[in-house]
Amino acid sequence: MSADAPPFEVLPQQTYVPCKTDYLWGETRHKPFVVWSVEGDKVKVWDPSGGQRLGGFRWIAIRNLHESGTTKAGKERRTGWRLHSGPPAKGQELCGSCFRWLDRDEFNKTAWTLGHSTCKPCMAEIEERYGKL
């Protein structure tokens, strides 16, 4: 990080993905999430695929969130989560597959709830892997 770069700040609606690249999607502790709120040294996060209905909340220590997937020494991080996207620009929506904030015209399928829409690149990958939906 250069001397002119602003300090890293955790903000609501940023998305984070695990630094560990061989995580299992079924494990809650290794899933991507959206920051819901920052309260002192803790962050309330929302996982669109967690919980029994349309997502679940949990708390994470802010020290586990990182600006990048590498340490200052250049080594790959093995723990915690790295910043992935956001916060969104006005009018952007969250793709529930790639966890990026995108403009509405970049979506193939849109849903009424946050994090359940699918962008065009993700839909193309899904159709390539599983066939046309």
Side-chain angles (χ1 to χ4, degrees), residues 87-106:
K90 186 175 180 173
Q92 288 188 322
E93 294 184 28
L94 181 67
C95 174
S97 297
C98 66
F99 267 69
R100 294 194 185 280
W101 294 100
L102 303 163
D103 293 330
R104 194 164 181 72
D105 62 348
E106 296 179 71

Side-chain angles (χ1 to χ4, degrees), residues 26-103:
E27 292 184 34
T28 301
R29 67 181 188 272
H30 295 299
K31 291 169 73 174
F33 56 77
V34 178
V35 171
W36 197 259
S37 65
V38 180
E39 298 180 25
D41 63 348
K42 293 185 287 188
V43 179
K44 186 176 186 179
V45 302
W46 177 69
D47 167 15
S49 62
Q52 293 185 358
R53 294 202 175 170
L54 296 175
F57 291 95
R58 65 183 193 271
W59 290 92
I60 294 179
I62 202 166
R63 71 178 181 276
N64 293 321
L65 304 183
H66 309 287
E67 187 172 17
S68 76
T70 56
T71 66
K72 290 179 184 176
K75 292 189 174 197
E76 186 177 339
R77 291 186 189 279
R78 295 181 296 182
T79 61
W81 290 266
R82 65 176 172 81
L83 179 62
H84 184 62
S85 181
K90 186 175 180 173
Q92 288 188 322
E93 294 184 28
L94 181 67
C95 174
S97 297
C98 66
F99 267 69
R100 294 194 185 280
W101 294 100
L102 303 163
D103 293 330

